[in-house]
């Protein structure tokens, strides 16, 4: 029986306790594909799971990790063979199924994406769910016909995981990217990723009772919600779109119908979790080809399982910038 290390979250009277424990692959749930995990990553949702949030994970003790990339060691699935390099993100991984913060996962074949040619396992997990979602947001804007000629594109929560990759992808595609951030000391970081301008989060956070504001943004990617999203919608130019995927500020936003019926603007919802595998695979292939980023390492720090607990606290303290790669073999 193969033993492996896993990050372990237990609920107790004081909240949650974190530890690294030894597990056995026979402890893993049924599934067609057993993967030896090389890398995972840290996303906002992982932090919620590790803090015991029932909206993400119902049953504890639990091993979070909504992302995993590694090598298949056993497969009962047609088309997936031992030795294949694969990516697993979304669906139930790391929510109520033991996730990528364990050195092995066992999952249904329908969750498994073959690693695209031209991408390493490391790159796939620097991207992770956050970067993958940024790519979905950019793809939705493109489906609406967005081009660099339309004008400036705003990215909110720009130093975060979704934000950093969104800035880099839009800049690669030639857009004039305006990054909105609460971290004044990260202006240089955002410019290195490709932001043409950086503005303070407070510029968008103030409550504005007017139904519309000056036409400012051709398009936007928003992962924070709340008052910021309300203001982004009011400030979209005629025909503009905002792709929305997150709620770090608030799940609520307010709007009147006026920007929609007078300026023809669009709110585009983006979900990476239940997106059908075939569509996930298309997006991963884009990230290895026309959306391939050559500056992924510049937004990344690498940690091991024993560093996870501290990083999760940093997320809630708003101290994290860019992507955190978890090396499971460290
Ligand atoms: P991160 O924690 O990496 O980034 C979030 C960023 O938001 C922070 O870095 C910060 O950026 C900004 N921020 C933090 N707190 C606030 C606040 N109170 N008000 C405004 N801005 C704030 O998270 P991720 O990038 O991993 O995820 C971002 C969001 O996207 C989350 O809500 C997550 O659940 C969601 N998400 C949704 C997915 C989907 O499928 N729909 C998939 C992946 C993520 P700065 O300091 O630069 O402003």
């Amino acid at each position: 029986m193969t033993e492996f290390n896993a990050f372990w979250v237990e609920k107790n009277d004081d909240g949650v306790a974190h530890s690294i424990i030894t597990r056995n692959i026979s402890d893993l749930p049924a599934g067609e594909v057993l993967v030896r995990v090389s890398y995972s990553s840290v996303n906002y949702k992982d932090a919620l799971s590790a803090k015991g949030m029932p909206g993400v994970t119902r049953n504890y003790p639990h091993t979070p990790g909504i992302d995993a990339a590694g090598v298949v060691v056993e497969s009962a699935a047609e088309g997936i063979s031992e030795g294949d390099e694969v990516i697993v993100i979304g669906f139930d991984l790391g929510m109520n199924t033991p996730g990528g913060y364990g050195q092995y996962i066992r999952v249904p074949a329908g969750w498994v994406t073959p690693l695209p040619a031209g991408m390493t396992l490391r790159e796939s997990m620097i991207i992770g769910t956050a970067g993958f979602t940024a790519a979905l947001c950019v793809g939705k804007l493109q489906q609406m016909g967005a081009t660099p000629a339309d004008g400036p594109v705003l990215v909110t929560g720009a130093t975060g995981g979704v934000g950093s990759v969104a800035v880099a992808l839009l800049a690669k595609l030639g857009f004039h990217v305006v990054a909105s951030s609460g971290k004044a000391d990260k202006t240089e970081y955002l410019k290195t990723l490709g932001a043409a301008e950086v503005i303070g989060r407070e510029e968008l956070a103030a409550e504005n009772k007017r139904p519309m504001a000056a036409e400012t943004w051709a398009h936007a990617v928003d992962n924070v919600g709340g008052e910021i999203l309300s203001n982004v919608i009011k400030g979209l130019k005629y025909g503009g779109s905002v792709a929305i995927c997150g709620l770090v500020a608030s799940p609520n936003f307010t709007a009147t119908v006026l920007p929609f019926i007078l300026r023809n603007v669009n709110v585009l919802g983006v979900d990476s979790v239940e997106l059908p595998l075939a569509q996930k695979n298309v997006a991963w292939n884009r990230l290895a080809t026309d959306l391939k980023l050559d500056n992924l390492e510049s937004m990344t720090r690498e940690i091991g399982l024993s560093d996870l607990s501290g990083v999760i606290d940093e997320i809630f303290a708003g101290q994290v910038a860019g992507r955190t790669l978890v090396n499971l073999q460290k």
Side-chain angles (χ1 to χ4, degrees), residues 43-44 129-130 133 157-162 180-183 201 223-224 228 245-249 270-273 315 320:
N43 300 277
Y44 190 74
T129 289
T133 304
T159 66
V162 173
S180 158
S181 176
K183 301 186 187 82
R201 186 195 295 167
N223 62 82
V224 305
I228 291 178
C245 67
L247 42 59
V248 288
V270 172
D271 167 56
S272 66
V273 180
I315 288 189
V320 174

Side-chain angles (χ1 to χ4, degrees), residues 228-291:
I228 291 178
L229 175 58
S230 306
N231 284 324
V232 170
I233 293 168
K234 290 175 190 177
L236 284 173
K237 287 175 182 268
Y238 190 91
S241 300
V242 53
I244 63 170
C245 67
L247 42 59
V248 288
S250 169
N252 302 316
F253 67 98
T254 54
T256 67
V257 298
L258 294 179
F260 305 100
I261 65 173
L262 298 179
R263 289 195 182 149
N264 212 21
V265 304
N266 311 291
V267 172
L268 312 173
V270 172
D271 167 56
S272 66
V273 180
E274 294 298 331
L275 189 75
L277 189 70
Q279 290 177 53
K280 279 194 171 96
N281 294 350
V282 168
W284 277 116
N285 278 308
R286 283 200 73 188
L287 281 158
T289 51
D290 65 309
L291 293 183

